[in-house]
Amino acid sequence: AASAPGVTAFAPQFSSPAAPVTQLLSASSNDNENSSIAAGLANAASVSILAATLFLNPLPSHADGQTKEFKLPPIDKSDKSRCVLNSSKMGQANAARDKLYDLRECDLSGVKGDEFDLSGVIMTKTDMSKTSLREAQFSKGYLRNSNFEGADFTNAIVDRASFMGSSLRGTIFQNAVLTATSFEGADVENADFTDAYIGDFDIKNLCKNPSLKGENPTTGADTRLSAQCGPGK
């Protein structure tokens, strides 16, 4: 896989929501600039609506990942700075950004994203192997069909996310919050779920995953026992 250019951190920088509008309006009063401002605000509103459509879950007890199909926009491959981790400044609860956080088909193997807020991120065919994501936040993350082998999610918050079809072999989820997150179709062999918080509904599905076996090569934890999937589960 091609290596990612300058893999450090991506994040749109936000000041107070009203500030950019105030500054632009005071710079000029002609109709053309005001029209441009209005168009920009309309575009931002459209992006927010699209993000909400993609990730808002009408059934809070279920993971967003249990929705089988999402209609995602095309990848903007003309954006050469797209494949960079960037922490959101908006707070993980709303997964808000000024545009969709699209890391599809990016090579981010081995990067450090500790304590990053990556909420609302979209990943498919993304290489996140051996990444350090300790205490990171992935609220409403679309994390499907990607490579997370050997990644470290210790103390991370992975809330209402979907790992459907992804490889999580040897991944560490120690003490992570995995509420309403789907591992359907994911390869979790040799993963470590020690002390992770997983809801009752989700742990039943995880225990049914045939790849839930093996031993984590880093921590030595028994994968199935670490997920509290003993006999009868």
Side-chain angles (χ1 to χ4, degrees):
S3 59
V7 178
T8 48
F10 142 25
Q13 301 297 316
F14 296 91
S15 55
S16 64
V21 179
T22 302
Q23 291 165 0
L24 287 169
L25 287 176
S26 64
S28 173
S29 59
N30 68 57
D31 292 340
N32 289 337
E33 291 195 8
N34 288 341
S35 297
S36 297
I37 293 165
L41 291 173
N43 181 62
S46 298
V47 169
S48 297
I49 292 169
L50 177 57
T53 302
L54 286 172
F55 298 110
L56 185 61
N57 180 14
L59 299 174
S61 63
H62 290 179
D64 289 326
Q66 290 172 13
T67 300
K68 300 297 183 184
E69 300 292 337
F70 284 98
K71 186 175 182 180
L72 300 175
I75 300 173
D76 181 8
K77 295 188 177 180
S78 66
D79 183 357
K80 302 304 181 183
S81 63
R82 183 177 64 85
C83 290
V84 185
L85 286 187
N86 201 350
S87 183
S88 172
K89 304 300 182 184
M90 297 293 283
Q92 67 92 17
N94 52 26
R97 294 175 182 266
D98 66 343
K99 64 178 181 179
L100 290 180
Y101 187 15
D102 189 356
L103 294 180
R104 286 176 290 174
E105 300 184 13
C106 291
D107 182 356
L108 297 167
S109 177
V111 304
K112 289 182 68 68
D114 296 343
E115 301 183 14
F116 278 25
D117 185 346
L118 304 174
S119 300
V121 66
I122 302 173
M123 296 183 185
T124 55
K125 299 181 180 178
T126 303
D127 188 354
M128 293 287 287
S129 60
K130 297 181 173 60
T131 51
S132 182
L133 301 164
R134 298 169 69 92
E135 300 186 32
Q137 298 175 0
F138 281 87
S139 181
K140 302 179 184 178
Y142 185 96
L143 313 173
R144 297 185 177 188
N145 300 309
S146 294
N147 181 1
F148 291 92
E149 294 181 9
D152 187 354
F153 286 88
T154 299
N155 296 327
I157 298 174
V158 189
D159 172 52
R160 292 165 291 170
S162 171
F163 285 108
M164 184 180 290
S166 288
S167 178
L168 298 160
R169 295 173 68 92
T171 301
I172 300 172
F173 288 103
Q174 285 188 350
N175 203 45
V177 175
L178 302 173
T179 48
T181 287
S182 172
F183 294 92
E184 182 180 350
D187 185 350
V188 293
E189 186 170 352
N190 300 331
D192 181 0
F193 293 93
T194 301
D195 295 327
Y197 181 78
I198 308 172
D200 291 343
F201 178 85
D202 306 299
I203 203 166
K204 287 179 181 177
N205 287 332
L206 179 59
C207 291
K208 295 175 184 177
N209 188 318
S211 68
L212 189 72
K213 59 185 178 181
E215 181 179 289
N216 188 272
T218 302
T219 67
D222 180 285
T223 295
R224 189 166 187 84
L225 294 180
S226 73
Q228 302 181 33
C229 295
K233 287 194 174 182

